[in-house]
């Protein structure tokens, strides 16, 4: 971590980027609910199965918050909800398991590079976690990519 912090000394915060992924379970029912005591017998029933329908959000932001890139990884190759829409505010990638792998990462990095080129003319310093789907060999001419050491994502 000390080496990474040394590399960032003197950098303008606007040119420091970080990316993270999050799973969004969009059909997940609440685990607890409130009911009146008189209605408790009627509201009890078989326990709901936990819905596993999810998408993965990929969020990349610079340190000042002036640059944001959001991507969604879903299962459908062409989701019905996107039909007829060509100017979506997010990038969409399809993958059966809905987690990032090296091919989706390469596409995402190319799209991020395009977005960054429209935002700034300077190279960015991109901090990445060491998840298995992120291809450490991938490079880009608009970013200096540096990787967090193992098990330090939450401590940074």
């Amino acid at each position: 971590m000390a080496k990474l912090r040394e590399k960032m000394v003197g950098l303008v915060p606007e040119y420091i980027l970080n990316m993270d992924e999050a799973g969004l379970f969009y059909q997940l029912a609440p685990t607890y609910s409130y009911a009146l005591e008189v209605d408790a017998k009627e509201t009890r029933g078989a326990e709901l199965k936990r819905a596993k329908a999810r998408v993965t959000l990929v969020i990349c932001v610079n340190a000042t918050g002036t640059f944001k890139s959001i991507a969604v990884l879903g299962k459908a190759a062409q989701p019905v909800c996107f039909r007829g829409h060509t100017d979506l505010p997010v990038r969409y990638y399809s993958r059966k398991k809905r987690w990032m792998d090296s091919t989706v990462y390469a596409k995402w990095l190319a799209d991020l590079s395009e977005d960054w080129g429209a935002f700034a003319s300077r190279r960015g310093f991109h901090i990445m976690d060491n998840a298995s789907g992120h291809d450490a060999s991938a490079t880009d001419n608009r970013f200096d990519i540096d990787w967090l050491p193992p098990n330090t994502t939450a401590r940074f």
Side-chain angles (χ1 to χ4, degrees):
M1 293 303 296
K3 290 178 185 177
L4 184 59
R5 287 191 175 114
E6 284 177 18
K7 290 180 183 180
M8 292 190 298
V9 169
L11 290 177
V12 179
E14 190 171 33
Y15 299 111
I16 300 173
L17 295 108
N18 188 18
M19 180 275 272
D20 205 0
E21 300 172 56
L24 175 65
F25 293 86
Y26 57 89
Q27 290 182 344
L28 192 61
T31 53
Y32 299 99
S33 65
Y34 296 102
L36 296 173
E37 191 174 333
V38 293
D39 298 332
K41 288 183 181 177
E42 295 173 10
T43 56
R44 289 186 191 150
E47 188 174 325
L48 291 173
K49 288 186 178 180
R50 300 192 54 88
K52 303 263 196 276
R54 68 165 156 61
V55 293
T56 299
L57 302 176
V58 180
I59 303 162
C60 184
V61 149
N62 66 352
T64 58
T66 54
F67 173 79
K68 299 171 190 83
S69 175
I70 301 172
V72 177
L73 277 81
K75 188 175 184 177
Q78 294 196 346
V80 175
C81 61
F82 293 163
R83 285 188 189 155
H85 299 282
T86 56
D87 56 342
L88 295 172
V90 298
R91 304 254 186 196
Y92 180 81
Y93 307 99
S94 65
R95 185 164 184 274
K96 186 176 181 181
K97 296 288 185 183
R98 291 161 287 214
W99 289 120
M100 187 173 282
D101 64 351
S102 58
T103 56
V104 174
Y105 175 76
K107 291 177 193 173
W108 173 82
L109 188 60
D111 290 339
L112 180 69
S113 178
E114 181 183 320
D115 293 345
W116 182 255
F119 175 77
S121 57
R122 275 183 60 183
R123 288 176 65 90
F125 185 77
H126 192 184
I127 303 168
M128 292 288 299
D129 61 5
N130 57 352
S132 61
H134 305 160
D135 186 8
S137 65
T139 58
D140 190 82
N141 60 354
R142 290 195 174 125
F143 299 111
D144 292 322
I145 301 175
D146 210 333
W147 300 86
L148 289 173
N151 302 319
T152 56
T153 303
R155 296 183 189 135
F156 186 67

